[in-house]
Amino acid sequence: MTLDQFKYIYFLGIGGIGMSALARWFQVNGYAVAGYDKTPTALTEALQAEGMVIHFTDDIEQIPAEFRENPTETLVIYTPAVPKTHSEYSYLTEQGFILQKRSQVLGLLAGQMTTIGVAGTHGKTTTSSMVAHILRDAGVNCAAFLGGITNNYGTNFLLNQPADDLRSVVCVVEADEFDRSFLTLFPTYAIVTSTDADHLDIYGAHDAVLDSFGTFVSQIEPEGVLFMKEGLSLANKTKASVRPYSLEKGDYYSQNLRIEQATFIFDLVYPTGVITDIQLAVPGFHNVENAVAASAVALEVGVSPEAIRLALNSYRGVRRRFEYILKTDSVVFIDDYAHHPAEVQAFLSSVKALYPDRELTAIFQPHLFSRTRDFAEGFAESLSLADHVILLDIYPARELPMEGVTSDLIFRDIHSKTKKKCTKAELPDVLRTMKPTLLVTIGAGDIDQMLTPLKNILVDQ
């Protein structure tokens, strides 16, 4: 299958962060794009404003006629979140349309270019967006398919400039281990930030997660390079060169790390030199480590040390990744997408280092029943770093409820000064009684819907 055989691209689940990036690539490159999603969002509104035809009812008749009438010229891209009982999915399958997962199509696109695949159970969205920003800021012809909306560009997709030889274009791809999607990629360069147990509803056991990452790195081109977090056991799984990095040791690491005016400043050591006084406005020890990894691969593709320093100084992060919602002399409010105990621990540790003189109040919404069941003890331990914890109900996402699995599994082992459970609807009233000066919201569900109401409460207190 080649993409040039199609005129029409139809998306089942067009509003997802990864699907929308792919939709934008096809739209920009002259294809007719349409799609279905379950609910309208700001992202689907943006896609519609860009000319895409989108509907929100599972209705075969709402698929544009030119798509339905030309099955050999229409490629259907779907997300695994769409159930097999979906009537549009059933119709398109029965009528002989070619259906491909997003990951399969992304693999086809990326395979035409020089690909940097950024993988890991934590940190891949921030790291891939850092790589893309460094390359774009340094004038490298690059494309990027990211898992979050970058604050520098206001999008999750960067389009490359036209090129006679697509191998001269660098394609940055967030390589997602969920559903083993990253196994459609065969990158020239890869970053692996972490291989912790996660998505056990898909994998079943941590060993299966590790096996999947092993397969991913085995697909790196033999002349390529794997930039691997120090301590991971992947070196024997690849024929590519392996270069370890971390916050404090490896071939690439940070030194002279200090915090000044809520900014992380550090020097970056690489095998042949040092980049001094990088000022990372998106704080966090984990983000410094992500910057080390992004810089390592940028150096490998020929970006100068000075260009890397300037790009990181101007990097503004990704929405919902250590994102300041409110920052005044009297109150600070930060939001983060963390949904694994290791991510929560890294986030809260960094917030406490930035604001050591303030008591920290954390609002956490667990994501998935299976993840809560598998990591309840770890969540409790990491949340206990906060002085005060407000725990919400579990956000189910793609899962049905599991007997005996509630946020109580986490709540009972939290050892903060105070802790409280409440529903999302009760949250505003709870916050009004607490009057925090340092507040964070954490979670990958729909807690972001509360950001504006909570901000307004803090402004008025």
Side-chain angles (χ1 to χ4, degrees):
M1 187 188 82
T2 61
L3 296 176
D4 57 10
Q5 74 189 75
F6 301 105
K7 291 174 58 178
Y8 308 102
I9 311 295
Y10 187 70
F11 286 83
L12 283 172
I14 196 169
I17 195 72
M19 292 280 274
S20 62
L22 208 54
R24 282 172 159 145
W25 186 91
F26 281 106
Q27 176 84 353
V28 167
N29 283 278
Y31 295 82
V33 177
Y36 157 86
D37 210 285
K38 191 174 181 179
T39 54
T41 64
L43 190 47
T44 57
E45 289 175 6
L47 298 180
Q48 288 172 309
E50 293 167 21
M52 302 180 207
V53 178
I54 301 174
H55 63 275
F56 304 96
T57 303
D58 179 9
D59 181 1
I60 296 163
E61 294 300 318
Q62 292 199 51
I63 301 173
E66 62 269 31
F67 289 67
R68 283 187 281 119
E69 295 166 2
N70 293 282
T72 61
E73 297 181 61
T74 300
L75 173 63
V76 179
I77 305 174
Y78 71 98
T79 170
V82 173
K84 299 297 186 287
T85 55
H86 193 275
S87 62
E88 290 187 25
Y89 178 91
S90 299
Y91 167 81
L92 293 165
T93 302
E94 292 165 0
Q95 295 300 311
F97 286 79
I98 295 177
L99 278 77
Q100 297 275 287
K101 291 182 180 179
R102 169 191 172 269
S103 58
Q104 294 172 302
V105 178
L106 184 56
L108 284 174
L109 288 180
Q112 302 175 72
M113 298 175 268
T114 297
T115 301
I116 299 172
V118 183
T121 46
H122 327 297
K124 56 183 173 288
T125 299
T126 296
T127 305
S128 57
S129 69
M130 283 179 171
V131 174
H133 177 62
I134 292 170
L135 298 183
R136 179 58 58 91
D137 199 62
V140 176
N141 190 5
C142 71
F145 296 88
L146 308 171
I149 303 296
T150 61
N151 291 324
N152 286 87
Y153 306 102
T155 180
N156 56 336
F157 165 61
L158 298 183
L159 178 66
N160 58 283
Q161 295 298 313
D164 293 332
D165 178 11
L166 279 175
R167 287 292 293 178
S168 68
V169 178
V170 179
C171 182
V172 183
V173 178
E174 179 172 328
D176 192 359
E177 76 282 358
F178 174 74
D179 200 31
R180 297 176 173 84
S181 295
F182 62 175
L183 299 186
T184 63
L185 299 172
F186 293 81
T188 304
Y189 309 102
I191 296 170
V192 177
T193 64
S194 50
T195 58
D196 291 342
D198 200 4
H199 301 303
L200 297 185
D201 56 320
I202 301 295
Y203 286 97
H206 190 196
D207 283 347
V209 177
L210 296 174
D211 288 344
S212 193
F213 275 95
T215 303
F216 170 70
V217 301
S218 76
Q219 297 177 178
I220 303 170
E221 295 177 5
E223 67 275 18
V225 183
L226 167 61
F227 298 91
M228 181 184 72
K229 169 73 177 292
E230 179 80 32
L232 298 184
S233 301
L234 295 172
N236 65 340
K237 304 292 185 180
T238 182
K239 294 180 180 178
S241 300
V242 178
R243 300 183 192 168
Y245 75 90
S246 75
L247 188 66
E248 297 177 329
K249 61 181 180 178
D251 290 350
Y252 307 83
Y253 60 94
S254 67
Q255 66 180 14
N256 298 327
L257 176 58
R258 64 265 191 206
I259 299 172
E260 297 178 7
Q261 297 180 334
T263 297
F264 279 66
I265 302 174
F266 63 99
D267 302 336
L268 192 149
V269 181
Y270 59 98
T272 59
V274 180
I275 306 174
T276 59
D277 293 328
I278 295 170
Q279 299 183 36
L280 196 62
V282 178
F285 297 108
H286 55 303
N287 283 330
V288 173
E289 186 170 80
N290 293 336
V292 171
S295 300
V297 75
L299 287 165
E300 184 66 25
V301 300
V303 179
S304 72
E306 178 61 14
I308 290 172
R309 186 178 68 81
L310 292 173
L312 288 175
N313 287 356
S314 65
Y315 175 72
R316 293 294 174 262
V318 181
R319 290 180 193 169
R320 299 223 59 221
R321 271 72 172 183
F322 218 115
E323 182 178 10
Y324 279 94
I325 307 302
L326 181 64
K327 188 178 182 182
T328 70
D329 291 340
S330 58
V331 63
V332 173
F333 177 18
I334 306 169
D335 177 53
D336 197 88
Y337 191 74
H339 53 282
H340 184 280
E343 295 170 342
V344 175
Q345 191 275 336
F347 173 60
L348 293 180
S349 295
S350 297
V351 173
K352 288 173 71 70
L354 280 169
Y355 302 100
D357 299 328
R358 298 190 185 214
E359 289 207 341
L360 172 58
T361 299
I363 303 169
F364 179 59
Q365 181 188 49
H367 184 261
L368 296 177
F369 294 100
S370 59
R371 186 179 282 128
T372 302
R373 175 199 63 201
D374 295 337
F375 303 116
E377 184 178 346
F379 279 125
E381 182 178 356
S382 58
L383 287 168
S384 294
L385 289 170
D387 299 289
H388 312 282
V389 175
I390 303 171
L391 188 63
L392 303 182
D393 296 328
I394 297 170
Y395 182 80
R398 58 187 178 270
E399 292 184 335
L400 295 174
M402 295 181 177
E403 186 176 353
V405 179
T406 71
S407 58
D408 283 332
L409 294 178
I410 299 171
F411 187 78
R412 66 191 185 195
D413 291 325
I414 294 173
H415 300 296
S416 300
K417 289 182 182 178
T418 67
K419 60 181 181 179
K420 185 175 183 64
K421 282 195 311 174
C422 71
T423 65
K424 200 171 67 167
E426 294 167 337
L427 182 57
D429 287 337
V430 170
L431 191 66
R432 286 188 186 94
T433 66
M434 299 184 72
K435 302 186 185 305
T437 60
L438 177 60
L439 176 70
V440 298
T441 44
I442 314 168
D446 62 357
I447 192 172
D448 59 314
Q449 295 177 358
M450 301 301 299
L451 298 182
T452 297
L454 298 182
K455 177 183 177 181
N456 291 338
I457 291 169
L458 294 176
V459 168
D460 294 338
Q461 72 179 17

